């Protein structure tokens, strides 16, 4: 499945941060992130998962886990000052 993440601003450090989050999610849920790319203000993910997970379920898991990571005080400060 393909997931797009939209942000106002992406720099190399922020992309690396998100890649680390996605690889942690991949290890936890046995997802395989075949490609992670950017085109300025959005991240594109190409994700492989076991057949027991529908594409919508994969997206729900990724977004839920990503949101949990973004709610930590350190990350909020880094992203939004």
């Amino acid at each position: 499945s393909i997931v797009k993440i939209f942000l106002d601003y992406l720099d190399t450090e922020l992309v690396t941060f998100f890649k680390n989050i996605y690889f942690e999610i991949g290890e936890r849920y046995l997802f395989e992130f075949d490609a992670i790319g950017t085109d300025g203000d959005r991240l594109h993910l190409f994700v492989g998962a076991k057949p027991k997970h529908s594409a919508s379920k994969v997206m729900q898991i990724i977004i839920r886990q990503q949101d949990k990571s973004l709610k930590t005080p350190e990350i909020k400060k880094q992203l939004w000052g």
Side-chain angles (χ1 to χ4, degrees):
S1 61
I2 299 173
V3 180
K4 291 183 181 179
I5 309 297
F6 297 91
L7 296 170
D8 290 336
Y9 173 72
L10 283 174
D11 63 13
T12 306
E13 185 177 327
L14 194 53
V15 171
T16 302
F17 167 76
F18 277 105
K19 284 182 179 181
N20 290 333
I21 289 175
Y22 299 136
F23 286 122
E24 288 176 16
I25 293 169
E27 288 178 0
R28 183 177 304 141
Y29 291 94
L30 302 177
F31 296 161
E32 192 170 318
F33 288 86
D34 298 320
I36 300 175
T38 181
D39 66 356
D41 63 347
R42 59 191 103 186
L43 287 171
H44 299 272
L45 312 174
F46 189 74
V47 186
K50 292 188 176 193
K52 72 177 185 176
H53 295 294
S54 67
S56 62
K57 183 67 174 176
V58 169
M59 289 175 56
Q60 287 174 352
I61 291 169
I62 291 170
I63 291 169
R64 183 178 64 234
Q65 295 301 316
Q66 172 188 288
D67 287 349
K68 284 181 182 179
S69 297
L70 294 176
K71 288 182 180 178
T72 62
E74 304 84 33
I75 302 307
K76 281 184 176 180
K77 185 175 183 178
Q78 182 181 354
L79 293 176
W80 295 286

